[in-house]
Amino acid sequence: MTNQNNSVFRIPPYYFIHVLDLNENVTRLIIGPKTFVKQDNEKVVYGPEKMIIIPPNYYCIVENPVLRDDTNNVMFDKNNSVLLAFADTEIRFAREPFPLYPGEILKQNITPLRILPANSALRLKAILDFEEENGEKRVAGDEWLFEGPGTYIPRKEVSVEEQIRATTIKPNQAIRLRARKECTDRNGKERVTGEEWVVKKNGAYLPGAYEEVVSVVDAYVLTEKRALHMRSLRTFTDDFGKKRLNGEEWLITLDDTETHIPSVYEEVVGVVDVTTLSSRQYAVILDPIGEDGKPQLGKKRLVKGEKSFFLQPGEKLEKGIQDVFVLGEDEGLILKCIEAFEDENKQQKSPGDRWMIKGPTDYVPPVEVEVVTRRKAIPLDENEGIYVRDIKSGKVRAIVGQTYMLNQDEELWEKQLPNDVEKLLAKDALAERNTRDSKNDTLKARVKSQVVTYRVPHNGAVQVYDYKEKKSRVVFGPDLVMLGPDEQFTLISISGDVPKKPNVIKALCLLLGPDFFTDIIQIETSDHARLSLKLSYSWYFKINKEDEKEACKLFNVPDFVGDACKAVASRIRGAVASVGFDDFHKNSAKIIRASVFGLDEAGNIRKEFTFKQNNLVITSIDIQAVEPVDQRTRDSLQKSVQLAIEITTNSQEATAKHEAERAEQEARGKLERQKILDEAEAEKARRALLELQALSAAVESTGQAKAEAQSRAEAQKIEGEAAVEQARLKADAAKIEAQSELERLTHARNAELGYVREQNEIEISKQTQLSEVEVNKFKKMVDAIGAQTLREMATAGPDLQVKMLQALGLQSTLITDGSNPINLFNTANGLIGNFSPKKQKHNPEDDVD
């Protein structure tokens, strides 16, 4: 901030201030370097500030710029105030440093110019009408692209909307474009507002000014197992040159193209996987596509394997992929015609016809045939069967003991039985005859189409009634009952419990006995003593199994137990009513038996009582308990019984006591006698023991001394032998060690001598070879140079010196540097010595000559 108290302002270079003249109210610009002295009527309103320096490739925006004339000079008004272009802007680029005139505002600070790389552009928009340097006129609102690479030079008439980067279209890719307004695309095609199109050319694509990228579309890769389900969004011609109507659906497979990029007028409904059928499979296609490419609604087409195909749009499989019907020898198929056709045997089939084919074979039903069911032969044992119903006539029959397969007009028939009969069929008539039914018992479900069988136990009978023939039959055990379609068991309801209650026991089988049943009845004597009798009756059925009429009598009485108990009880009550209590108490068994069985002509009691209605025979009566009903009678009877029991008990006690005393005396005598015999035997054993003890003591004393002497001798012998053996082993060990050491040294010396010998031989061989090499080398060098050349080389130096001295006219010379003293005497001697004649060596061969 400017300090107004200072009157002197030192403005450095490239700085400026704004000074306001208070008298004229005009602000002027002062530029440094300068020392400004402020007058009293002046005021520094801005500065000192540094000038604006714009480096290369930078710019700034100045608002309210000054006006300049044709010579680029600042224009002033008559008051010497700068003229400004108010509400206007000026973009200034790299130039000499400049100040801001009064009224100018730095709207945008120094900003680097935008450098666009390749494959990018700026979308520009004209905010004012102007004409570019190339003469092209721009109207406010026009948009265009400035494409890179390049440096964008901004203009005040143009605004930068956004920077656009090129979209890279990879292989098997495309971009989807939309026109924001009417324009011409890069291929020169006119586009209307909102129109979309696809660009598939690989590389970088830079959208135009009025184009926008909707999305990048990846291609669908088609294989032998994948196809595309397409739908047309409007009428157009596809990539394969085929006209598609609005809403039309079609399939694109690998035969058409390897990859497909959907256009803007089609959509991918889904990817369709190939349908593959093996040799044992088939499929039925609903609403198939005809040869004209149109769906045949309501029709079907059969496709057999081996085959692979794609389901066309609108087609679907009926029940999916189905397996071929493979029929064995015991299998068959029930077929039904649903549409008239002619089969393989040239037979005409009408709708509704049913027929059956049997194996072994394999079968693929045509589209006109419906497979109703698959039949399998049912193997039946001799005691097994099934109920079969003819669906045409309704007749039911039983098939027993053979393997049978239902034909097209037959079905299994379920035979219904009452619940009580169902429960009794699951029980053993003999083993479970005393068990009662429980509500919680769970029955095993019976296969109702199988023939109902029931095992009649030994000495039992079952009645079966045929409601169709209106007659019954009785089956005696042991046997197996097999019910026909119209037969039912006769259910027997018998009294049970004690005393007897009606309808307690239900059974299918009537046991013929012998058996018994128990009942409790109340009687009254002539003296009005009321008694309760518990009686058990033994019974059996006397029947001739060969006579059907006699056999049917067994089931004439539904509850033979209750009927027999009532008849016997009435007879006993009648007989006891005429007898007093004391008489009945003494002769109860006789009275009851006589009343039931009766007397013969001789006055004797008969042995049995027979019911002629069903031939039931009572053979005996067991009186299990007789109890008075009245309490006083019961107490007096109990006292008399207790007294009789007490007398009998005392008599038996005295007899037992006498018998015990006698047995005790006999046992005491036997015990004394045995004691004496045992003492004699003990004395004999003691004497034998003493003799053996004396003998063992003598043997022990003699044997101990002998054993000690033998053991010492043996020990010494063993010690001596061990010492001898030890010494021998030590000697052997020393000998072995010495021999081993000797052998080791011998081997070591031999190895060392061999090593030295081989090393010497190698060295000799080496030196020999080296000498041969040197000799050969020297020989070759001499041969190469020649004898004459060697002679000349040897005499070259002295000959040269002689010639040089001869040329100089000197006999001898001596050259020195003057700093080292020379012994001229020795030198002279040397010189003289060189000229002295050489001594001749004595050659012995000369003497010989």
Side-chain angles (χ1 to χ4, degrees), residues 588-607:
S588 59
K590 183 178 180 180
I591 294 171
I592 291 174
R593 287 175 57 84
S595 63
V596 175
F597 297 124
L599 302 176
D600 58 6
E601 293 80 2
N604 298 322
I605 299 174
R606 291 189 177 93
K607 295 183 179 181

Side-chain angles (χ1 to χ4, degrees), residues 350-363:
S350 301
D353 287 350
R354 292 167 62 101
W355 70 97
M356 181 178 182
I357 60 171
K358 297 182 180 180
T361 184
D362 55 359
Y363 181 73

Side-chain angles (χ1 to χ4, degrees), residues 454-505:
Y454 184 75
R455 292 180 177 84
V456 183
H458 175 70
N459 205 21
V462 173
Q463 187 181 41
V464 178
Y465 187 79
D466 190 337
Y467 286 90
K468 184 177 181 181
E469 301 293 335
K470 304 297 182 181
K471 63 179 182 180
S472 62
R473 59 187 176 95
V474 178
V475 181
F476 293 96
D479 201 352
L480 181 69
V481 179
M482 303 183 73
L483 290 185
D486 301 309
E487 291 182 335
Q488 291 287 348
F489 288 106
T490 299
L491 183 64
I492 303 173
S493 182
I494 306 174
S495 298
D497 291 340
V498 180
K500 288 292 181 281
K501 297 178 183 178
N503 301 325
V504 173
I505 300 174

Side-chain angles (χ1 to χ4, degrees), residues 825-838:
F825 297 101
N826 293 332
T827 302
N829 292 331
L831 292 174
I832 297 171
N834 288 333
F835 289 101
S836 61
K838 295 182 179 180

Side-chain angles (χ1 to χ4, degrees), residues 760-775:
N760 292 335
E761 291 176 355
I762 291 171
E763 184 65 24
I764 291 170
S765 175
K766 176 183 176 183
Q767 294 298 332
T768 303
Q769 293 176 0
L770 287 176
S771 61
E772 291 178 355
V773 169
E774 290 295 332
V775 170

Side-chain angles (χ1 to χ4, degrees), residues 581-686:
F581 174 75
D582 291 337
D583 191 10
F584 178 75
H585 185 65
K586 294 177 182 178
N587 303 307
S588 59
K590 183 178 180 180
I591 294 171
I592 291 174
R593 287 175 57 84
S595 63
V596 175
F597 297 124
L599 302 176
D600 58 6
E601 293 80 2
N604 298 322
I605 299 174
R606 291 189 177 93
K607 295 183 179 181
E608 59 184 24
F609 173 54
T610 304
F611 293 88
K612 295 182 179 180
Q613 295 85 355
N614 58 353
N615 293 330
L616 176 65
V617 178
I618 305 296
T619 57
S620 65
I621 299 176
D622 181 19
I623 305 172
Q624 295 182 350
V626 179
E627 294 183 358
V629 178
D630 185 35
Q631 184 65 34
R632 289 180 298 173
T633 305
R634 185 182 302 171
D635 293 341
S636 61
L637 181 61
Q638 186 176 4
K639 289 181 181 179
S640 61
V641 171
Q642 288 179 354
L643 182 60
I645 292 173
E646 185 177 355
I647 293 171
T648 304
T649 303
N650 292 335
S651 174
Q652 292 177 353
E653 184 178 356
T655 303
K657 185 177 181 181
H658 178 71
E659 207 49 49
E661 289 178 354
R662 184 179 62 81
E664 184 181 359
Q665 290 295 332
E666 290 179 356
R668 188 179 293 113
K670 290 181 180 179
L671 180 61
E672 291 295 334
R673 182 179 178 184
Q674 186 65 33
K675 185 186 293 185
I676 294 171
L677 294 175
D678 291 342
E679 289 179 354
E681 290 294 331
E683 288 297 331
K684 290 180 181 179
R686 188 179 296 109

